[in-house]
Amino acid sequence: MKELLRAEGIRKDYRLGEVTVHALKKVSFTIFAGEMVVILGPSGSGKSTMLNILGGIETASEGELYYQGKALDWSSKKELTRYRRQHVGFVFQFYNLMSGLTALENVELAAELSQQPLDPKRLLQQVGLLERAKHFPSKLSGGEQQRVAIARALCKNPDLLLCDEPTGALDSQTGSQVLKILSDFNRQYQKTVVLITHNQNIAKIADRVFYFKDGNLERIEKNQAPQKPEEVEW
């Protein structure tokens, strides 16, 4: 398999007054193109910090992150911004939609940031919300807002889709729909998806599962036969 990302000795420290918090401690791994990876771990294990570093939102205190074989320059805000815009899509637990834009306009906004965007209307149809295209976020349920946020992230047609607890605020039925959308994007377009969750059952859809604890990557497990999202018990 072709390497997409490689982390080498990633360390991340935060200063809280006179105390230094070691969020990540020399973490190393490789993620391959077209792979579905789930990151599991308790709160405070370093999952979200790792995801933010993979997405170029945060920089490492030490270590290197390679994208398609090239190390990111932590000191260049311009390079990190270009990396995020051209290669990375984000889906968060809380949807971050633009309140003054309709569902369709929120998705179209992402198309403007991409050189090869997917069709916004088709994506809204795929997430089951084409009939809600002209509704503003305040008129959508939480599950509908999350599906709009996912359509927006997919519209960029990113090589790397990063998802931080995308089903955490959803009921089981809507959560299953969201997972199916993410899984279909991964399989249909052969794009890499990295998903953080607390739910161990969700890990069953992944090709590989990364287990984090206390800032360390404790182990990596491979699923020989990943389940379909609709087969996962919540």
Side-chain angles (χ1 to χ4, degrees):
M1 297 177 69
K2 183 179 179 182
E3 174 189 300
L4 185 74
L5 288 169
R6 185 171 80 255
E8 290 190 356
I10 295 291
R11 180 174 60 83
K12 181 63 177 180
D13 299 332
Y14 296 102
R15 292 286 296 176
L16 296 176
E18 297 181 359
V19 178
T20 299
V21 176
H22 304 292
L24 292 170
K25 306 169 184 176
K26 298 280 190 176
V27 174
S28 300
F29 56 80
T30 298
I31 293 175
F32 300 102
E35 190 174 27
M36 168 76 81
V37 171
V38 164
I39 298 178
L40 273 179
S43 296
S45 61
K47 306 186 306 297
S48 292
T49 300
M50 189 73 253
L51 201 77
N52 289 340
I53 289 175
L54 292 180
I57 294 176
E58 294 189 51
T59 60
S61 303
E62 182 183 319
E64 299 286 353
L65 179 67
Y66 295 85
Y67 178 77
Q68 295 184 336
K70 181 180 182 295
L72 295 186
D73 183 355
W74 304 122
S75 65
S76 173
K77 290 185 177 180
K78 184 177 181 180
E79 179 178 323
L80 292 175
T81 298
R82 183 169 60 248
Y83 167 68
R84 291 193 302 269
R85 286 183 175 176
Q86 295 183 358
H87 303 294
V88 185
F90 295 95
V91 179
F92 300 101
Q93 180 175 350
F94 301 103
Y95 327 113
N96 300 326
L97 298 178
M98 301 292 289
S99 61
L101 300 179
T102 65
L104 179 59
E105 288 167 344
N106 264 281
V107 180
E108 289 174 337
L109 190 64
E112 298 174 9
L113 301 175
S114 175
Q115 296 176 339
Q116 294 181 309
L118 301 180
D119 181 70
K121 285 188 176 180
R122 184 182 176 194
L123 284 169
L124 273 186
Q125 185 175 32
Q126 288 179 333
V127 301
L129 290 175
L130 187 58
E131 76 282 359
R132 309 280 276 168
K134 295 183 179 180
H135 287 69
F136 291 95
S138 62
K139 301 299 182 182
L140 302 175
S141 70
E144 288 171 336
Q145 289 186 56
Q146 183 62 297
R147 283 184 279 161
V148 172
I150 289 172
R152 179 182 61 185
L154 300 186
C155 189
K156 284 179 64 178
N157 195 17
D159 297 316
L160 174 65
L161 183 65
L162 302 176
C163 310
D164 193 352
E165 294 280 3
T167 62
L170 305 178
D171 61 70
S172 59
Q173 181 178 356
T174 307
S176 292
Q177 292 174 346
V178 164
L179 288 181
K180 186 177 187 308
I181 294 163
L182 298 175
S183 180
D184 288 348
F185 177 73
N186 167 248
R187 307 302 178 194
Q188 181 179 351
Y189 295 101
Q190 290 295 296
K191 298 300 182 76
T192 303
V193 177
V194 181
L195 188 155
I196 283 178
T197 181
H198 283 94
N199 188 333
Q200 295 210 17
N201 285 331
I202 291 176
K204 295 175 183 177
I205 73 171
D207 297 305
R208 290 190 298 159
V209 184
F210 292 13
Y211 291 87
F212 275 71
K213 185 178 180 181
D214 298 329
N216 294 300
L217 175 55
E218 286 203 319
R219 68 187 189 279
I220 298 174
E221 294 183 358
K222 183 174 183 179
N223 285 331
Q224 297 300 327
Q227 289 187 7
K228 296 179 180 179
E230 55 268 30
E231 297 172 344
V232 172
E233 292 185 9
W234 286 66

